[in-house]
Amino acid sequence: MDHLTKATTSLAAICWIICCAALVSLYGGNLTAINAVIGCSIPGLAFTAAAIAFHRTHRPRSPRHGQHRH
């Protein structure tokens, strides 16, 4: 995994951790936590999508089924 994929994965994880903590707080009755849920879920989605895209473009290629390297 390259550094760009690692960085975006870490940022996505941080956003989702904050979002989950805010959801627990929201469930506990703190209605102002909705701002943190919205404010962290949108960047969380963006960082998750970027991490997936970077991972797919930077992973080593393996031969397809039925193809052999000579």
Side-chain angles (χ1 to χ4, degrees):
M1 188 181 305
D2 64 34
H3 295 294
L4 191 57
T5 304
K6 238 182 238 188
T8 52
T9 303
S10 298
L11 287 171
I14 290 168
C15 286
W16 288 119
I17 289 169
I18 294 170
C19 187
C20 289
L23 280 172
V24 170
S25 180
L26 185 66
Y27 182 73
N30 183 2
L31 296 180
T32 59
I34 192 69
N35 294 331
V37 171
I38 294 169
C40 289
S41 62
I42 293 171
L45 285 171
F47 285 129
T48 301
I52 291 169
F54 291 143
H55 177 70
R56 287 186 178 176
T57 58
H58 292 100
R59 67 180 175 191
R61 299 285 180 208
S62 60
R64 292 185 179 178
H65 184 68
Q67 293 179 343
H68 300 286
R69 292 183 184 177
H70 295 292

